[in-house]
């Protein structure tokens, strides 16, 4: 039962996903332009630390470090022949980090090329690329495969088909929405219906501009389909305040949004860019009522990676005349918590291009036993959450 995603959802559980991955890898030292999946081989301890922190914070499901683990993405690093090896290690490291009671959803991101008729890659070629990764992820022991951060239904279709035709694992599929539409123009209702028709077992949205934008998206999905839904929004949209890049959604606020997602019938809830184990801990406490652990996080300076995982959720920044489009910049970044600039600062670098920046935080901390009587607000701080939702 613990390792059966669909059985747990059918039993009525609301499950917690994890938060940002790529930014935490760079915080741990992954160089700009480095291959995250290669770290499964070269820095296994640092990779393991990420799912371990999220599981301790309350995640029922953690993702693997395999987002770009397909031969077209890995070809950029001359690693196209290591798909099976790196995908296998990604699943094994996640399992070693969290044990048998936490679900492992293998992350499968876009292959980086556009399929016909808008690009040169055929549907069958794309499906074959994803199939190689899907077989490796399933053989390594993943409990599900999460087809995530796709630009629309058409973009995701070959990946879903590859997983369905080559494994027996549940498919979780999330696409990115901007102003109520995917980047391919899908409405939330149409996307939910079509993704379900393609065979996805759980459908939803990730990345985007934050939980406030995704609440109506998920409401429309829930009105359109009766199946299982997932949401994994960013902790707000990064914005420039003077010399600072600021994420406005605090752990306490994210927890209130998580409660609202649960109230409208979303079955799996997590966070994407800008979320940390501290966010997930607060969300899990609000959604599930109690936690076994407390994460006392010391958030530290880290490098912000270029937008490899989001693929466009920050496209608006590329059109901002104040945002650098070429070269690099270095800014002090602050996460504004209940006390102002409470939670985190890090150094950010972004290269030019249409999708310049993916935000996030890195957390290091001790795991302490958490009394089950603690409730509300931001866990372990003695403060109540604020803003975000009205419930």
């Amino acid at each position: 039962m613990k390792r059966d995603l669909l059985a747990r959802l059918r039993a009525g559980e609301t499950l917690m996903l994890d938060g940002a991955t790529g930014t935490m890898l760079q915080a741990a030292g992954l160089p700009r332009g480095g291959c995250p999946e290669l770290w499964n081989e070269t820095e296994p301890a640092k990779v393991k630390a990420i799912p371990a922190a999220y599981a301790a914070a309350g995640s029922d499901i953690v993702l693997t470090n395999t987002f770009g683990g397909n031969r077209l993405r890995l070809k950029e690093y001359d690693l196209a022949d290591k798909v099976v090896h790196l995908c296998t290690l990604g699943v094994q490291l996640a399992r070693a980090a969290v044990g048998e009671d936490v679900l492992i959803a293998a992350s499968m991101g876009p292959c980086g090329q556009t399929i016909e008729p808008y690009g040169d890659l055929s549907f069958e070629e794309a499906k074959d690329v994803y199939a190689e990764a899907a077989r490796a992820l399933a053989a390594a022991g993943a409990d599900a495969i999460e087809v995530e951060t796709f630009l629309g239904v058409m973009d995701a279709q070959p990946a879903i088909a590859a997983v369905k035709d080559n494994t027996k694992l549940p498919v979780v599929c999330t696409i990115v929405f901007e102003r109520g539409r995917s980047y391919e123009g899908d409405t939330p209702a149409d996307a939910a219906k079509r993704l379900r028709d393609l065979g996805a077992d759980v459908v939803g949205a990730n990345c985007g501009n934050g939980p406030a934008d995704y609440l109506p998206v998920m409401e429309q999905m829930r009105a359109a389909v009766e199946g299982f839904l997932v949401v994994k929004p960013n902790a707000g949209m990064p914005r420039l305040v003077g010399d600072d890049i600021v994420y406005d959604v605090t752990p306490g606020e994210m927890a209130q949004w998580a409660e609202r997602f649960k109230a409208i019938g979303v079955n799996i809830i997590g966070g994407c860019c800008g979320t940390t184990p501290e966010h997930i801990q607060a969300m899990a406490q609000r959604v599930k009522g109690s936690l076994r652990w407390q994460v006392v996080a010391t958030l530290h300076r880290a490098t912000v990676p270029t937008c490899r995982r989001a693929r466009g959720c920050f496209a608006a920044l590329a059109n901002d005349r104040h945002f650098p489009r070429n070269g690099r910049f270095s800014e002090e970044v602050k996460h504004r918590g209940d006390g102002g600039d409470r939670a985190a600062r890090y150094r950010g670098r972004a290269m030019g291009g249409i999708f310049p920046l993916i935000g996030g935080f890195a957390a290091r901390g001790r795991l302490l036993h958490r009394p089950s009587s603690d409730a509300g607000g931001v866990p372990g701080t003695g403060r109540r959450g604020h803003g975000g939702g009205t419930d």
Side-chain angles (χ1 to χ4, degrees):
M1 179 70 168
K2 282 284 188 181
R3 296 275 300 276
D4 189 331
L5 172 65
L6 297 182
R8 292 180 67 175
L9 293 175
R10 292 187 191 109
E13 283 193 66
T14 301
L15 300 178
M16 290 301 305
L17 249 172
D18 59 8
T21 298
T23 51
M24 294 185 73
L25 287 172
Q26 286 214 335
L30 180 70
R32 178 177 53 82
C35 177
E37 292 76 25
L38 184 59
W39 264 33
N40 293 341
E41 177 182 88
T42 61
E43 298 285 354
K46 293 178 179 179
V47 173
K48 283 171 61 178
I50 297 170
Y54 283 124
S59 293
D60 300 299
I61 309 166
V62 296
L63 297 182
T64 57
N65 180 36
T66 56
F67 180 81
N70 62 74
R71 63 175 175 265
L72 292 181
R73 284 287 191 181
L74 292 176
K75 184 179 179 180
E76 300 170 12
Y77 306 97
D78 295 323
L79 297 171
D81 60 341
K82 285 200 167 189
V83 171
V84 173
H85 176 61
L86 296 177
C87 284
T88 298
L89 287 178
V91 176
Q92 292 174 343
L93 290 172
R95 179 61 65 202
V98 303
E100 296 296 321
D101 291 338
V102 176
L103 290 157
I104 303 296
S107 174
M108 179 181 285
C111 67
Q113 295 188 22
T114 306
I115 63 173
E116 296 172 342
Y118 303 108
D120 297 327
L121 190 68
S122 73
F123 178 91
E124 289 302 324
E125 288 172 329
K127 181 180 174 182
D128 187 61
V129 167
Y130 294 123
E132 181 183 20
R135 289 190 294 267
L137 295 167
D143 301 309
I145 293 183
E146 180 154 339
V147 174
E148 61 167 333
T149 324
F150 281 72
L151 300 185
V153 175
M154 186 178 72
D155 194 29
Q157 185 173 354
I160 296 172
V163 177
K164 299 299 289 187
D165 291 351
N166 290 274
T167 82
K168 296 181 179 179
L169 295 179
V171 178
V172 180
C173 183
T174 59
I175 61 179
V176 182
F177 290 87
E178 174 84 20
R179 298 178 182 175
R181 295 266 182 170
S182 78
Y183 285 96
E184 292 178 349
D186 309 296
T187 67
D190 185 52
K193 292 175 183 177
R194 291 173 62 198
L195 292 172
R196 292 278 298 172
D197 289 344
L198 291 173
D201 299 285
V202 186
V203 301
N206 77 302
C207 251
N209 293 337
D213 278 13
Y214 271 3
L215 186 65
V217 167
M218 300 313 297
E219 287 174 332
Q220 292 174 53
M221 285 192 172
R222 175 46 71 214
V225 299
E226 296 182 356
F228 302 125
L229 297 181
V230 55
V231 68
K232 195 174 180 183
N234 294 339
M237 182 73 176
R239 61 188 177 88
L240 293 175
V241 178
D243 292 332
D244 297 331
I245 300 172
V246 178
Y247 281 91
D248 287 325
V249 183
T250 67
E253 292 169 338
M254 201 75 163
Q256 293 183 16
W257 285 111
E259 189 173 39
R260 297 186 71 177
F261 285 123
K262 179 181 178 180
I264 65 172
V266 178
N267 309 96
I268 303 176
I269 303 169
C272 202
C273 311
T275 56
T276 67
E278 187 182 24
H279 286 83
I280 296 301
Q281 181 176 337
M283 294 162 69
Q285 184 181 29
R286 184 65 69 95
V287 168
K288 302 177 81 70
S290 64
L291 290 176
R292 293 170 296 169
W293 300 95
Q294 175 183 352
V295 178
V296 181
T298 302
L299 294 158
H300 60 96
R301 295 185 178 188
T303 300
V304 183
T306 53
C307 192
R308 183 168 184 266
R309 189 177 180 103
R311 284 199 70 194
C313 60
F314 299 140
L317 286 179
N319 298 319
D320 190 323
R321 64 185 178 87
H322 299 296
F323 198 86
R325 299 183 183 181
N326 295 293
R328 80 173 80 179
F329 75 97
S330 182
E331 303 289 350
E332 191 78 10
V333 180
K334 302 175 183 178
H335 183 283
R336 298 186 182 275
D338 295 316
D341 300 339
R342 182 184 62 83
R345 298 168 183 264
Y346 57 83
R347 302 294 290 183
R349 293 191 184 124
M351 300 303 292
I354 189 169
F355 305 137
L357 180 67
I358 182 173
F361 299 96
R364 292 177 180 169
R366 296 174 294 128
L367 302 180
L368 305 177
H369 186 67
R370 177 176 181 76
S372 60
S373 59
D374 285 0
V378 182
T381 65
R383 293 190 300 275
R384 307 294 296 184
H386 67 91
T390 57
D391 294 343

